[in-house]
């Protein structure tokens, strides 16, 4: 991946730079997460690697720069102009997403695949690049676009139940100079923007690397196990993880993508610490505590021999009071619990 070393800054008319050094402009004054992240990301590309960041609102200076983010009133990717404040701007990421883009979203839309491909060390056309391109937008980038454009997370007129100032956009915003600070110089402001770039950029890279190293392999495991569910039970409603991994969100997304029918009711996996087997009921949705089919009501709250006697299945360990999960000493016992519960 391109160097993530942060650039020098200039304000107003920059000093002459060597011809090879490209210059990326954004506005001076108070900053937000979107232009801090956009400036960080664009410097991960081959074209703008180690570019100088010029912070100004002077139209003449902006016109002479190689790229301009979040200022200038122009969106034109052919000229690398990525503002989103102008009248009539309605650009979205696409692929089913409808949130209006910020400058960060625009940079990601046009350069995200290159950045991801460089991290994975594969060609941009590799299918994993496209999968990560969509997943990172959904889990990381879209919220930054939405917050910057003032889009509420929920469609309601009711006031929020609590204040959340811990998200990335809020933390970046707090890096602006405090109004009580006697030093409001452009030099101190630029230093604060550099810290904002580092913060936003480090979290973007954390998200990218998590998705590459953890999310993507887990998706492959869940896909393989979902495809093999008919070999586990004729109902097709029991899935066995051959290796434990974060599976819940992948299962919902893959079921929707593959139009799986019937939906999986139970997932079996081995607890790595106890080596016992778990039977977990799949929730009706990713954010729900309600199960598609909870384990049998007459088993709930029972343990060990009492549970084995009630189920008629040896080796039972427990069933949670809500019926969302149970356990057995063996794979065969866990599978028997899932099969029996389907019929109850």
């Amino acid at each position: 991946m391109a160097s993530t070393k942060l650039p020098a800054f200039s304000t107003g008319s920059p000093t002459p730079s060597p011809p090879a050094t490209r210059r990326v402009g954004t506005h001076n004054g108070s900053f937000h997460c979107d232009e801090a992240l956009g400036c960080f990301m664009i410097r991960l590309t081959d074209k703008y690697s180690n570019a100088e960041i010029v912070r100004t609102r002077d139209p003449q200076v902006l016109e002479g720069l190689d790229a301009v983010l979040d200022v200038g009133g122009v969106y034109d990717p052919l000229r690398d102009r990525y503002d989103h404040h102008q009248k009539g701007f309605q650009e979205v990421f696409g692929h089913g997403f409808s949130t209006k883009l910020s400058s960060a979203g625009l940079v990601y839309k046009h350069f995200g695949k290159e950045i991801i491909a460089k991290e994975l060390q594969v060609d941009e056309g590799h299918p994993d690049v496209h999968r990560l391109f969509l997943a990172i937008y959904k889990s990381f980038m879209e919220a930054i676009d939405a917050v910057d454009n003032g889009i509420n997370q929920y469609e309601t007129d009711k006031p929020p139940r609590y204040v959340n100032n811990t998200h990335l956009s809020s933390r970046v915003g707090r890096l602006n100079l405090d109004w009580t600070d006697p030093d409001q110089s452009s030099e101190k402001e630029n230093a604060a923007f550099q810290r904002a770039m580092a913060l936003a950029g480090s979290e973007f890279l954390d998200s990218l690397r998590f998705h590459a190293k953890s999310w993507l392999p887990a998706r492959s495991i869940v896909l393989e196990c979902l495809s093999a569910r008919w070999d586990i039970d004729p109902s097709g409603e029991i899935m066995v993880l051959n290796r434990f991994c974060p599976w819940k969100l992948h299962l919902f997304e893959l079921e929707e993508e593959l139009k799986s029918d019937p939906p999986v009711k139970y997932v079996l996996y081995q607890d790595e610490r106890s080596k016992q087997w778990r039977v977990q009921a799949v929730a009706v949705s990713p954010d729900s505590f309600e199960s598609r089919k909870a384990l049998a009501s007459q088993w709930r709250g029972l343990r060990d021999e009492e549970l084995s006697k009630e189920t008629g299945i040896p080796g039972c360990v427990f069933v949670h009071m809500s019926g969302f999960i149970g356990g057995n000493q063996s794979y065969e016992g866990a599978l028997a619990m899932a099969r029996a519960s389907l019929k109850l």
Side-chain angles (χ1 to χ4, degrees):
M1 175 167 283
S3 169
T4 57
K5 181 182 177 183
L6 292 172
F9 291 82
S10 58
T11 323
S13 299
T15 55
S17 302
T21 302
R22 292 183 182 268
R23 295 175 297 160
V24 174
T26 190
H27 60 82
N28 57 352
S30 295
F31 51 79
H32 299 98
C33 186
D34 71 315
E35 74 266 22
L37 179 57
C39 287
F40 184 94
M41 287 192 299
I42 203 168
R43 295 183 72 253
L44 298 178
T45 66
D46 288 337
K47 186 176 182 180
Y48 290 105
S49 177
N50 297 315
E52 179 187 2
I53 303 298
V54 180
R55 300 186 70 237
T56 181
R57 295 181 183 273
D58 186 329
Q60 290 186 324
V61 175
L62 292 172
E63 183 62 31
L65 302 179
D66 299 288
V68 176
L69 281 61
D70 209 47
V71 68
V74 175
Y75 167 51
D76 182 359
L78 295 178
R79 294 196 296 129
D80 284 336
R81 266 41 185 177
Y82 302 107
D83 198 9
H84 66 112
H85 296 99
Q86 59 274 24
K87 184 178 180 180
F89 178 89
Q90 295 295 332
E91 189 75 9
V92 299
F93 185 65
H95 309 285
F97 296 94
S98 58
T99 300
K100 190 166 77 167
L101 297 179
S102 68
S103 60
L106 287 171
V107 171
Y108 185 78
K109 179 171 183 172
H110 292 284
F111 296 100
K113 287 187 178 181
E114 177 191 343
I115 294 168
I116 293 166
K118 291 172 74 173
E119 176 68 23
L120 297 184
Q121 297 183 335
V122 298
D123 293 333
E124 282 188 46
H126 193 288
D128 286 349
V129 171
H130 184 68
R131 290 192 186 102
L132 291 180
F133 185 56
L134 300 184
I136 293 167
Y137 185 78
K138 180 178 182 179
S139 68
F140 185 85
M141 293 298 308
E142 186 176 22
I144 292 166
D145 288 338
V147 169
D148 195 77
N149 284 300
I151 301 170
N152 289 327
Q153 190 172 9
Y154 300 101
E155 294 182 4
T156 175
D157 294 330
K158 294 181 180 179
R161 293 183 178 180
Y162 57 87
V163 173
N164 179 13
N165 288 320
T166 62
H167 55 75
L168 180 58
S169 295
S170 289
R171 286 182 282 122
V172 168
R174 286 198 293 274
L175 293 176
N176 278 284
L177 300 186
D178 191 279
W179 67 276
T180 61
D181 192 332
D183 184 358
Q184 299 284 321
S185 65
S186 60
E187 290 77 15
K188 189 161 187 178
E189 184 184 283
N190 287 339
F193 186 73
Q194 185 172 6
R195 292 193 295 274
M197 285 179 61
L199 173 60
S202 67
E203 295 212 8
F204 169 75
L205 290 178
D206 284 346
S207 179
L208 170 53
R209 288 161 184 167
F210 163 78
H211 279 85
K213 295 177 181 178
S214 178
W215 181 91
L216 195 59
R219 184 186 188 277
S220 297
I221 291 170
V222 176
L223 176 59
E224 178 185 345
C225 296
L226 180 62
S227 301
R229 71 192 185 283
W230 299 102
D231 299 331
I232 304 302
D233 187 78
S235 69
E237 296 178 288
I238 301 172
M239 186 179 86
V240 177
L241 285 177
N242 53 30
R243 178 183 176 189
F244 182 76
C245 65
W247 57 268
K248 295 176 187 176
L249 188 58
H250 288 299
L251 178 59
F252 287 107
E253 291 180 347
L254 286 167
E255 283 183 329
E256 183 177 354
E257 182 181 319
L258 300 173
K259 304 294 189 283
S260 294
D261 188 46
V264 172
K265 303 299 191 300
Y266 301 116
V267 174
L268 277 58
Y269 56 89
Q270 190 173 31
D271 185 289
E272 293 183 350
R273 286 171 293 185
S274 68
K275 301 305 179 184
Q276 298 171 350
W277 279 81
R278 298 287 182 256
V279 187
Q280 186 158 344
V282 179
V284 296
S285 67
D287 300 320
S288 175
F289 292 108
E290 180 185 354
S291 299
R292 289 173 174 174
K293 185 171 178 59
L295 291 166
S297 58
Q298 57 267 43
W299 302 351
R300 299 175 197 173
L302 301 182
R303 298 190 63 87
D304 304 322
E305 288 300 321
E306 185 181 9
L307 179 57
S308 292
K309 184 177 179 181
E310 178 65 33
T311 62
I313 300 169
C316 290
V317 179
F318 76 100
V319 170
H320 192 273
M321 283 294 295
S322 68
F324 90 96
I325 195 169
N328 195 284
Q329 296 285 355
S330 69
Y331 163 72
E332 293 77 13
L335 180 57
M337 290 173 70
R339 284 173 169 167
S341 195
L342 278 178
K343 300 172 183 177
L344 294 174

